[in-house]
Structure formats: structure tokens, C-alpha cells
Amino acid sequence: MSAPHATPEPAAERLHFIEERVQADVAQGRHGGRVHTRFPPEPNGYLHLGHAKSICLNFSLTQRFGGRCNLRFDDTNPTTESVEYVESIQRDVKWLGFEWSELYFASGFFEAIYEFAEELVRKGLAYVCDLDAEAMRELRGTLTAPGKPSPFRGRSVAENLDLLRRMRAGEFPEGARTLRAKIDMASPNMNLRDPVLYRILHADHHRTGSAWRIYPTYDYAHPLCDALEGITHSICTLEFENHRPLYDWVRDNCSTPHKPEQIEFARLNVTYTVLSKRKLLRLVNEKHVSGWDDPRLPTLSGLRRRGYTPSALRTFCERIGVAKFNSTIDVVQLENALRDDLNKTAPRAMAVLRPLRLVIENFPDGQVDELEAVNNPEDPAAGSRKVPFSKVLYIERDDFRVDAPKDFFRLAPGKEVRLRYAYFVTAKSFTLDPATGEVTEVVCTYDPATRGGNAPDGRKVKGTIHWVSAAHAVNAPVRLYDHLFAAEFPEEVPEGQDFLVNLNPKSLELLSNAQLEPSLARLAAGSSVQFERHGYFVADALDSRPGAPVFNRSVALRDSWAKIEKKPANAKPASGRK
């Protein structure tokens, strides 16, 4: 008698390294068993795809472990920050599908951060330095040589407190003095060679106005804000790994109520994409794009206007995972996440982007057939719609060839094809423009017995093309967006060249004479649709009007760039790239 089959246990869900770390902390009772994270953007630009990864990571950790996640604006640099960016960031986080536990600003902690500075001075761990930036650099040393102490490092506690308070009062000119931590000028970690904690800036702040004439540096304010908020795990990208000893030094030498720990993960890099906020700002300011919400930009505002959905971006972030080492993700993974999402949810419609007039000579004049079209084959509940069919149609210009090769299965003289949802038609003749030699009209006949796309006699045709009734068509502008950069790694350029040399001159094509089926006139702004055989499009949220939509291509049905044989000179494999 054979042994009974054991029921296999479900496979344990695999955790990434940060989840494992947090899980271990919870199990050991660290931080009182709490999990409290934060998403801390600086309001000096719009959020982009890299921020989406950080948002999803921070919020998902708290969802998994029953914790809390704050939104905090690290607004310590008044010269580059604005209310516009604050509002856009809040809008983007909510759009992505997350709600923060508490909303904070670093500027809301300015008084407490300053009090910690005086505490460091009293402990002999900070001093006021009169060196300018250039002199400070000269004394800092190199990776192989230790730095030299500032001549002002030995100031007394009393003198340092007096100077710091006068700095705060605005007594000194901008840049005249700084407050520096007194750590180790011989440290192999350059960040520990007496870093600046405060600098004098006579600039008004978007929240505090002219109340402050000194502002804390990011490296000083960040760990203090984390500690004051009760953050347990401060999740940062890898470029802050060398800053962690400074983060810990500030945390441990200030009498903060909590002691958060910093964990780093690999930042997001995507092919054909620039995610540097500084470079995105250049693209906007130099008018290479129409604004922060240009659909070619990887900003969340641009992706939203392009037609990306929150669920597609969350899926993308989940699929790429969380790693310890930097690599570059193929942009196809991002596009596939959107295709997978819209394939399930977007209704289908027919749209002719480059129209060619098709006349069915044996179709009765004045007759209009109402044909049944499926709204979404992936969703039976989406039902169907009626599409008008008449004597004169529009088809895609590329769907007719005068001299067709053997493997061309669309329309050509004497060739029969199926019109989607409609009839079999056979091309009989065509008209050419005498000036350009371009086909301007095709005349064909149809078989009335093939209504619905099948022949009673069983004959088969290999080609099916889409169409729009000319008398009922909606004329709408269509924008075909493509990658903003033509190079796979656009920031990698020969010495002396600018990354802008890699801009794709064909990143936007405007089609002003597209002809769409009439149902699309009613599509609400911001709604997505699949143009059959073309791809997924969205009614532009800003430029569309009732009855007059403007469409942006979100993504083609398949990756056309994979077919490009000639790669840029600087192209490299994306997988595993350091």
C-alpha cells in the first residue's frame, strides 16, 4: 500500500533584505517593537520615478509590519524650494495611492535643531569657523592624506556660543562663518572631517519667512528630524551610505528622544531615462520639454499625463525589487507594467492615425450599418458598443500597398482583407496624387454575406485591418510620445560633451488629422483607451475638452525599440550594470 501524499505547505513569502532587517528588529523588540518610516523629499522639484520606488518601499514596510509612515519635507535650503513643489509632492504621493500618518517639515523643527547645535557647542563637539569654502577645501585633505584642523577649531565654548547666537541674529554677512562639527580631520571617511552643520544664508524661507538667517545642512538636520519624529528605520539610497557614520554621530551626540537607524538601498536607474533632479530641472528651465508634467519626463506628473496608472507604477516597483547594489532597469519593464494594467482595464476603440480614404463602390448610398464591437476582450463585463459603418471609410495609409510583397497580408490591388467587426473587402483601383505620387483614395467592393468578419463559404483571409466611418469620424490631435533620449544610458557621454547631445529628436510626433470612432468624443479627460493595433492612449488631462479630446500615446502595444539593430555607441547591457 502506497504512503498517502502529504499536502505541501505553501512557500514562505520571500522578504527583501530591508524587510528581513525590520522583521528581526521587531522580533528582538528594538525601538519598542515599533516600525515607523518616513518619505522625506526636498521640495526643490517634482517627484520622479526614483521617488516612486522610495515611496512604495517606505509605505509598504509600514503596511507589512503594522507601522506608520510620515511625509516630511526636508526644507533646509530656502534658495531652491517653493510652495509649488510642496503642493505637487503631496498631490503625487496621494495619486500613487498612499496616505501618510503625519505631515512634517524640517523647518517646523528649526528651533529644536538649533538647540541641539548649542548642546554640541557646550559639549565641545562643535565650533564656529571663519574659513570660506575654498580655504575649508584646502584643509580638508584627500582620500589618501589627512586634513588639517581649522585655525578656529580651538575656540572656547563661550566664544562659540556667542558667535553662533550672533550668526542666528543675522549679524554677519552671508558665507562669513559656519558652524562645524568637531569630529576627526584624519578620518578616512571625508564626511567626518569636521562637516558643516550650519551656514549663514540671508534668504527668506517659504514657510518661516525671514525668521532665520542660518540654516542647517541636510546631514545635520536629517537625523535630528528622524529622531524628533520617532522614526525607527530611516531608509535612504546608496549615495548616503558614506554619510551614515555622520548620521550616527549626530544621533548619538544629541540628546534626542529616539535613536533611529539608517538603512540604504540601491537607487533606481532606468535605460533611456534621466533621473537626476538637477538635470530634469535643466530640461524644464531650458525649454527642452514643455514643463514638469511633459509626458516625456519620468516625473510622476509627466507619467500621469502620459497615461501611467498608480497601480502600474506600484507593480513596476514591486517587480524590480529592492537591492543592495546599483544596477539599471530596462525601461521595457516599466512599459510592460503599464501594458499589463491597461490590457485588463482600458476599453478598445478604432482610430486611424494616418488616414487614407476607402470607398466601397457597391455599398448602398446613404446606408449606415450599426456593427457590434467588443469593448474589452479581457473583461466580459465591459460589454460592447455600436460602431457606424458606411460607404466611405478611413483606413491606415500603411494598410494599403500598390506593389505589395508576398508576405504583406493587408490591402493591395486585387487582394481581399477583413475589416474589423465588419466585412470582407477587395481592392479594385486607386487614385494617385499627380504631384506627389501618393495614393489619395482606394476603391473596393465588399461581400455583404461576410458581416461580422466571417465568410459563409468558409474562405479565409489572412489580414484584418481597422477603419473608421468618414461621415461619423471624430478628428482629434494625437501626440505620439517616445523616449526623450535616444541613448540607452543618456548620462554617459564622452568627456567635454553634455548629456543633452543624447536627446531624441523624434521623441514627439504630432498627428493633426487622426480620425477616431465617434465613441471617443465622449471619453473623459484623463481616461485611457486602447487604439486597436496601435497601443494605449490617454485623453490629455489638460488639453482635452468635452467633445474635443486630445490624445497622448502612453505606450505602444509592443516594444519597438527592441527591434532597433543599430545601438548607440555608448550602449551597454542593462542587467547587472554597476
Side-chain angles (χ1 to χ4, degrees):
M1 183 177 178
S2 61
H5 293 289
T7 302
E9 294 185 4
E13 186 178 0
R14 185 173 181 178
L15 305 181
H16 57 67
F17 77 99
I18 296 180
E19 290 172 330
E20 290 175 346
R21 170 87 169 267
V22 173
Q23 185 179 63
D25 286 348
V26 171
Q28 294 167 14
R30 294 193 66 185
H31 309 293
R34 296 182 305 113
V35 176
H36 199 159
T37 65
R38 80 291 171 268
F39 173 60
E42 181 181 359
N44 62 351
Y46 281 63
L47 297 185
H48 56 60
L49 195 56
H51 295 112
K53 179 179 178 181
S54 179
I55 293 169
C56 290
L57 173 56
N58 277 286
F59 280 91
S60 66
L61 280 172
T62 56
Q63 290 171 351
R64 172 180 289 276
F65 295 103
R68 299 168 66 81
C69 184
N70 296 345
L71 173 62
R72 181 179 75 238
F73 291 98
D74 277 337
D75 55 344
T76 60
N77 189 357
T79 60
T80 61
E81 299 162 354
S82 74
V83 174
E84 174 192 355
Y85 298 138
V86 169
E87 293 174 346
S88 74
I89 289 169
Q90 293 184 69
R91 185 166 59 246
D92 285 346
V93 172
K94 288 182 177 180
W95 172 76
L96 202 53
F98 299 104
E99 288 287 341
W100 49 86
S101 301
E102 300 287 346
L103 176 65
Y104 289 108
F105 292 82
S107 55
F109 297 115
F110 274 176
E111 189 64 44
I113 293 171
Y114 174 80
E115 290 299 326
F116 285 126
E118 288 207 358
E119 177 186 350
L120 291 174
V121 171
R122 287 192 294 271
K123 289 179 177 179
L125 296 176
Y127 63 97
V128 173
C129 182
D130 295 0
L131 294 178
D132 61 22
E134 183 178 352
M136 207 178 295
R137 263 193 307 272
E138 289 176 358
L139 293 180
R140 195 172 182 223
T142 66
L143 291 174
T144 56
K148 297 178 182 179
S150 163
F152 307 99
R153 200 174 197 260
R155 277 175 167 156
S156 67
V157 168
E159 184 180 5
N160 282 319
L161 281 175
D162 174 65
L163 289 173
L164 177 58
R165 290 165 182 170
R166 290 162 66 189
M167 286 169 59
R168 173 178 178 170
E171 183 175 330
F172 305 118
E174 189 166 303
R177 287 186 162 97
T178 59
L179 179 72
R180 297 175 67 181
K182 188 185 292 187
I183 307 179
D184 183 3
M185 290 302 295
S187 172
N189 187 327
M190 302 287 282
N191 294 302
L192 296 181
R193 295 185 184 180
D194 289 13
V196 172
L197 306 182
Y198 267 101
R199 73 277 197 207
I200 300 172
L201 284 175
H202 292 291
D204 287 354
H205 191 278
H206 66 95
R207 293 187 74 243
T208 61
S210 59
W212 291 88
R213 301 293 81 172
I214 58 172
Y215 291 93
T217 59
Y218 174 87
D219 278 339
Y220 173 58
H222 189 80
L224 293 176
C225 290
D226 283 348
L228 291 167
E229 289 180 42
I231 301 305
T232 59
H233 301 84
S234 180
I235 313 300
C236 301
T237 46
L238 274 179
E239 63 261 37
F240 292 100
E241 185 175 24
N242 286 336
H243 295 246
R244 192 197 322 145
L246 178 54
Y247 180 99
D248 293 346
W249 185 91
V250 172
R251 176 199 65 189
D252 295 340
N253 285 287
C254 294
S255 55
T256 57
H258 300 280
K259 302 297 181 184
E261 54 186 299
Q262 179 175 300
I263 308 172
E264 305 86 18
F265 69 100
R267 62 173 293 171
L268 178 62
N269 299 295
V270 181
T271 56
Y272 301 102
T273 306
V274 165
L275 291 177
S276 160
K277 195 182 290 186
R278 176 177 57 83
K279 291 177 178 175
L280 293 175
L281 184 62
R282 272 194 67 191
L283 291 170
V284 172
N285 288 344
E286 296 177 12
K287 309 296 184 184
H288 299 289
V289 292
S290 61
W292 285 104
D293 63 351
D294 188 298
R296 292 167 294 180
L297 286 181
T299 57
L300 297 192
S301 296
L303 291 167
R304 178 166 60 245
R305 195 172 174 192
R306 178 81 171 253
Y308 273 80
T309 62
S311 57
L313 293 182
R314 292 194 303 268
T315 296
F316 169 70
C317 292
E318 181 179 352
R319 287 177 180 175
I320 62 176
V322 178
K324 294 182 180 181
F325 304 102
N326 286 328
S327 62
T328 300
I329 304 298
D330 195 321
V331 70
V332 173
Q333 292 198 47
L334 173 65
E335 294 170 344
N336 282 342
L338 182 61
R339 291 185 182 103
D340 292 345
D341 187 44
L342 293 181
N343 182 50
K344 296 177 290 187
T345 61
R348 275 49 167 173
M350 292 188 289
V352 175
L353 303 186
R354 297 174 177 85
L356 173 63
R357 183 179 166 91
L358 182 76
V359 178
I360 307 174
E361 63 179 3
N362 63 328
F363 194 86
D365 291 338
Q367 178 174 317
V368 177
D369 289 355
E370 293 289 335
L371 303 179
E372 200 81 16
V374 175
N375 283 332
N376 188 337
E378 302 295 323
D379 179 14
S384 61
R385 67 191 184 283
K386 298 292 186 180
V387 181
F389 183 93
S390 60
K391 186 181 185 74
V392 181
L393 310 174
Y394 290 119
I395 63 170
E396 289 291 346
R397 185 163 293 280
D398 287 346
D399 282 342
F400 178 81
R401 294 268 188 95
V402 174
D403 298 309
K406 183 178 180 180
D407 59 351
F408 184 76
F409 300 124
R410 286 167 280 172
L411 201 59
K415 197 166 188 176
E416 188 175 47
V417 300
R418 176 188 294 105
L419 295 180
R420 178 82 159 144
Y421 303 119
Y423 303 95
F424 288 8
V425 296
T426 303
K428 297 299 184 182
S429 63
F430 56 88
T431 303
L432 296 177
D433 183 325
T436 64
E438 190 176 69
V439 177
T440 58
E441 182 178 280
V442 176
V443 176
C444 65
T445 59
Y446 87 117
D447 181 352
T450 59
R451 178 167 175 152
N454 293 300
D457 60 9
R459 74 181 187 276
K460 303 293 184 182
V461 294
K462 291 186 176 180
T464 299
I465 64 177
H466 65 280
W467 51 273
V468 172
S469 169
H472 305 87
V474 173
N475 177 254
V478 172
R479 301 159 177 159
L480 300 182
Y481 288 105
D482 213 325
H483 301 320
L484 183 59
F485 291 93
E488 192 170 5
F489 306 109
E491 294 178 270
E492 298 181 5
V493 294
E495 187 175 352
Q497 290 194 10
D498 192 281
F499 78 104
L500 296 176
V501 302
N502 286 323
L503 282 171
N504 177 15
K506 299 180 180 179
S507 62
L508 170 59
E509 182 182 3
L510 177 61
L511 303 178
S512 59
N513 192 38
Q515 304 295 322
L516 287 54
E517 70 169 73
S519 65
L520 292 175
R522 302 186 297 274
L523 195 69
S527 299
S528 294
V529 62
Q530 185 198 100
F531 289 174
E532 297 198 26
R533 298 176 65 214
H534 286 302
Y536 295 98
F537 291 73
V538 64
D540 188 273
L542 296 182
D543 297 334
S544 294
R545 298 291 181 268
V550 176
F551 286 94
N552 301 329
R553 181 170 66 186
S554 305
V555 65
L557 290 179
R558 60 187 59 85
D559 176 28
S560 59
W561 283 66
K563 300 177 182 179
I564 298 176
E565 295 181 356
K566 186 177 181 180
K567 291 285 186 179
N570 64 340
K572 298 178 183 179
S575 59
R577 178 174 171 270
K578 295 291 182 68

